[in-house]
Amino acid sequence: MRDHDSATAPAAIAVHTPEPRPAPGAPAAGSACSPSPTGAASGAPTAPSAHGTRGIVAACGTRGTVATRGALLAALGVAAFSLTFPATAWALEGMGPWTVVVLRSVLATALAGGALVWCRVPVPERRHWAGIAVVAGGVVLGFPLLTTVALQTSTTSHAAVVVGLLPLATAACSVVRTGVRPSRTFWIAAVAGAAVVIGFAVQQSGGAPSRGDLYLFAALLVCAAGYAEGGRLARHMPGWQVMGWALVLTLPVTAAGTAVALTTEPLHLTAHAVGGLLWLAVGSTFLGMVVWYRGMATIGVAKASQLQLAQPLLTLVWSVVLLGEHLPPAAPVAAVAVLACIAVTQRTRG
């Protein structure tokens, strides 16, 4: 009889469980910005209220605004970097290559170190120092040194298009360091831009890479590692602190190098030389890196890196305006071709 059923027989127990409240600013369940929830017990969908709709629109709008801001920050970094080669050419008019490399870093360290002291920024945790060392070796020392040496035998327009390989190299490094895997379409567009760059470099060098190209390719590898590592670190600390501590880490090397370089290389402080050096220190080495790392932390290293496909085109423009260079016919074509890949990479899952 039912009155004598065992108390241990399985039966459903009705327990009221309150629905979790979404975090402030998070998209409401079932919104276009979040996975669709399972249906109600009846299986019929429910229409969102007017208040819920406004929350969904606000959340989606906030997410879009953050992505746009991140892309703009990365684009500002690209604009700053596009002046690096013309500024280096100006600096080389009045000082030797070693002086340019170490003195720009010392000046940038004075700026960044002063900001760290003024803001009383604590020393980074031990686990972050290996990444900061990669940034220091790739961005502060390796890339400036190798590109400065390369510019003694290559024009800025040629070097700018060769450096168009940097976005692909950075995206590859970001996959290794962050584990984020862009879509197949992303890689097709990135490889297509790189193929155009390689073709241009080979065509301009008469079918074989020149010594300047070898320096540039080596610069790409070390810089890509520094970019990817800096973008990863910028998720844990502000981008200006990443670059600031990297500069401080290299100060013993750059300070000693400056003392040696100033006594062994000629120094003529012309307007071009001083202006170029100041831009390298303030714009390219510090401020440009600050917004660049912040942009990468916001929209992802791989997607931000492809915005740098615009850098060769911008540098080609600066080389004509500031240096009076005559572009080879293939240079604008190659630059526009890699620039077109930006539209594809930015519309894919990066």
Side-chain angles (χ1 to χ4, degrees), residues 288-304:
M289 289 295 179
V290 169
V291 294
W292 175 242
Y293 282 145
R294 181 58 182 168
M296 286 197 294
T298 303
I299 65 176
V301 175
K303 181 166 286 189

Side-chain angles (χ1 to χ4, degrees), residues 54-205:
R54 286 195 298 270
I56 293 171
V57 172
C60 293
T62 300
R63 184 172 297 182
T65 301
V66 171
T68 301
R69 184 167 61 247
L72 288 175
L73 288 171
L76 285 174
V78 171
F81 300 153
S82 69
L83 279 162
T84 298
F85 285 168
T88 301
W90 271 11
L92 288 173
E93 292 180 8
M95 57 193 75
W98 289 100
T99 303
V100 172
V101 171
V102 293
L103 194 54
R104 65 181 278 187
S105 295
V106 168
L107 294 176
T109 304
L111 176 62
L116 291 171
V117 173
W118 179 265
C119 297
R120 298 182 179 179
V121 177
V123 176
E125 300 176 21
R126 181 180 299 180
R127 62 191 178 97
H128 294 320
W129 278 107
I132 292 174
V134 174
V135 176
V139 176
V140 179
L141 295 178
F143 186 79
L145 174 61
L146 292 168
T147 53
T148 299
V149 174
L151 283 175
Q152 293 186 300
T153 58
S154 299
T155 64
T156 58
S157 57
H158 177 79
V161 180
V162 173
V163 172
L165 281 171
L166 185 56
L168 179 62
T170 303
C173 288
S174 72
V175 171
V176 176
R177 293 299 297 136
T178 67
V180 177
R181 299 186 178 277
S183 66
R184 181 180 301 178
T185 303
F186 175 95
W187 287 116
I188 291 174
V191 171
V196 173
V197 170
I198 294 174
F200 171 82
V202 172
Q203 187 268 335
Q204 291 298 308
S205 60

Side-chain angles (χ1 to χ4, degrees), residues 255-307:
T258 299
V260 174
L262 289 176
T263 58
T264 58
E265 291 185 333
L267 181 65
H268 303 288
L269 297 181
T270 64
H272 275 186
V274 173
L277 182 65
L278 289 178
W279 178 258
L280 291 174
V282 179
S284 298
T285 306
F286 186 64
L287 296 180
M289 289 295 179
V290 169
V291 294
W292 175 242
Y293 282 145
R294 181 58 182 168
M296 286 197 294
T298 303
I299 65 176
V301 175
K303 181 166 286 189
S305 70
Q306 299 310 299
L307 291 172

